């Protein structure tokens, strides 16, 4: 069941992708468009593949935890327990005890980002190469940042734009919206650049093979000698290492930005004052 969504995405890609020659670097293909009142909604390859990743992760989690309460001692249970402990420890170190409930959210972003980027290993369009997908994640993080900044009230939130001096208010407002933009473009740019570099290099190696072996007789003239091994080594970096690294970086930025936006000391001071006022009123 874990592999079924990915297999369906591969089948859809094979059946609908048009044949192309030479270098072909395009964005996510649009499968169909849903009419909407304000603006039509295009259903793209990135959305379909992202949904396939979500379903695959869901069944992966079910597999890792199925029967864990029955007293059985299986390797996957120990792996799941180790992963949960590591994520809890990471969240506690970077966000503090107050945000200990954020572990599921952080691991969800990490898995979604990593698995989405790793789809390129199967010849599929990685959703992380679409700025709309990454922008959606960054917008969710921006909502959480704003929510925790307003924990002390709207006036305290607006007052923060005037610090340290009022003249810096325009710059503070710009930096407020620059956070989700920088998060999305950093992740999107790294994944997309890896895809572009791998495609260009594969085309160059194919052309170099044809130039060097083109004068040989028979099948030797078409043998892509320079495309053997080198693209695989690049794939280990761009498709595997870089994908996992970007997933970790995006998760770390999420934790640091959300926890850093929360004025914890001021929040508990205001909370304590309110409790004292309620006690006096009683």
């Amino acid at each position: 069941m874990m592999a079924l969504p990915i297999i369906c995405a591969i089948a859809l890609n094979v059946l609908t992708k048009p044949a192309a020659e030479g270098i072909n670097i395009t964005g996510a293909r649009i499968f169909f468009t849903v009419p909407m009142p304000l603006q039509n909604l295009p259903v793209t390859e990135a959305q379909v593949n992202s949904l396939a990743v979500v379903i695959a992760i869901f069944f992966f989690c079910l597999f890792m935890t199925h029967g864990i309460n029955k007293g059985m001692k299986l390797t996957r249970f120990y792996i799941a327990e180790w992963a949960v402990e590591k994520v809890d420890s990471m969240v506690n170190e970077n966000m503090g005890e107050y945000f200990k409930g954020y572990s599921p959210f952080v691991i969800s972003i990490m898995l979604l980002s990593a698995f989405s980027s790793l789809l390129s290993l199967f010849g599929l369009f990685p959703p992380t190469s679409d700025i709309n997908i990454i922008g959606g994640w960054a917008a969710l993080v921006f909502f959480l940042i704003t929510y925790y900044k307003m924990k002390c009230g709207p006036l305290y939130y607006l007052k923060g734009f005037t610090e340290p001096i009022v003249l810096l208010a325009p710059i503070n407002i710009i930096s407020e919206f620059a956070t989700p933009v920088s998060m999305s473009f950093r992740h999107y740019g790294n994944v997309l650049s890896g895809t572009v570099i791998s495609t260009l290099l594969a085309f160059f190696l194919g052309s170099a093979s044809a130039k060097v072996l083109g004068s040989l007789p028979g099948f030797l003239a078409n043998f892509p000698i320079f495309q053997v091994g080198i693209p695989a080594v690049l794939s280990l970096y761009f498709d595997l290492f870089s994908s996992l690294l970007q997933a970790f970086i995006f998760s770390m930025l999420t934790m640091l930005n959300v926890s850093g936006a929360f004025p914890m000391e001021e929040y508990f001071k205001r909370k304590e004052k309110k409790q004292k006022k309620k006690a006096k009123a009683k």
Side-chain angles (χ1 to χ4, degrees):
M1 293 300 292
M2 291 185 292
L4 183 60
I6 307 302
I7 294 173
C8 292
I10 294 174
L12 181 63
N13 180 62
V14 172
L15 293 174
T16 60
K17 190 173 183 179
E21 295 182 359
I23 300 178
N24 184 25
I25 302 175
T26 59
R29 289 179 292 127
I30 299 176
F31 291 123
F32 58 90
T33 303
V34 180
M36 301 292 287
L38 297 179
Q39 184 178 355
N40 292 338
L41 174 65
V43 177
T44 68
E45 192 176 10
Q47 294 170 326
V48 173
N49 291 348
S50 184
L51 178 61
V53 169
V54 171
I55 297 174
I57 292 175
F58 172 72
F59 284 114
F60 173 73
C61 293
L62 289 181
F63 167 74
M64 294 296 292
T65 58
H66 179 67
I68 198 170
N69 295 324
K70 295 182 179 179
M72 296 183 292
K73 296 182 179 180
L74 300 176
T75 305
R76 55 189 171 94
F77 294 162
Y78 293 111
I79 295 175
E81 183 179 0
W82 173 82
V84 170
E85 289 177 353
K86 286 296 181 182
V87 174
D88 286 342
S89 175
M90 184 173 63
V91 171
N92 185 54
E93 290 177 3
N94 293 283
M95 301 186 75
E97 185 68 19
Y98 183 85
F99 293 92
K100 61 181 180 180
Y102 263 73
S103 294
F105 178 73
V106 171
I107 190 61
S108 297
I109 288 182
M110 193 178 298
L111 288 176
L112 184 58
S113 173
F115 278 78
S116 296
S117 299
L118 291 175
L119 284 185
S120 58
L121 294 173
F122 301 96
L124 297 174
F125 181 86
T128 45
S129 291
D130 190 337
I131 188 62
N132 297 292
I133 299 295
I134 305 299
W137 301 351
L140 177 59
V141 175
F142 177 70
F143 171 80
L144 292 173
I145 292 173
T146 305
Y147 170 76
Y148 281 102
K149 280 189 175 182
M150 296 187 68
K151 275 279 192 176
C152 292
L155 293 178
Y156 183 86
Y157 172 70
L158 295 175
K159 181 183 175 182
F161 291 114
T162 63
E163 296 178 353
I165 57 176
V166 180
L167 294 176
L168 294 179
I171 298 177
N172 291 333
I173 294 174
I174 293 174
S175 64
E176 185 79 1
F177 293 96
T179 299
V181 173
S182 63
M183 287 182 66
S184 57
F185 274 95
R186 178 185 290 108
H187 195 305
Y188 159 76
N190 279 281
V191 175
L192 182 63
S193 62
T195 303
V196 172
I197 292 173
S198 298
T199 303
L200 292 175
L201 189 58
F203 178 79
F204 168 76
L205 293 174
S207 301
S209 300
K211 291 289 185 182
V212 173
L213 303 179
S215 59
L216 296 178
F219 74 94
L220 293 176
N222 298 321
F223 185 74
I225 186 172
F226 295 128
Q227 287 183 316
V228 177
I230 298 178
V233 174
L234 290 174
S235 180
L236 287 176
Y237 176 78
F238 289 117
D239 295 331
L240 188 60
F241 174 74
S242 181
S243 298
L244 299 179
L245 179 63
Q246 292 307 316
F248 176 75
I249 291 175
F250 193 89
S251 301
M252 286 294 296
L253 290 175
T254 298
M255 290 187 289
L256 295 176
N257 286 326
V258 171
S259 60
F262 182 39
M264 189 175 297
E265 294 183 2
E266 183 67 23
Y267 172 74
F268 284 113
K269 285 181 181 179
R270 291 166 63 94
K271 191 175 181 181
E272 185 178 355
K273 289 181 180 179
K274 289 181 180 180
Q275 290 176 348
K276 288 181 179 180
K277 287 182 180 180
K278 288 182 179 179
K280 289 182 180 179
K282 289 181 180 180

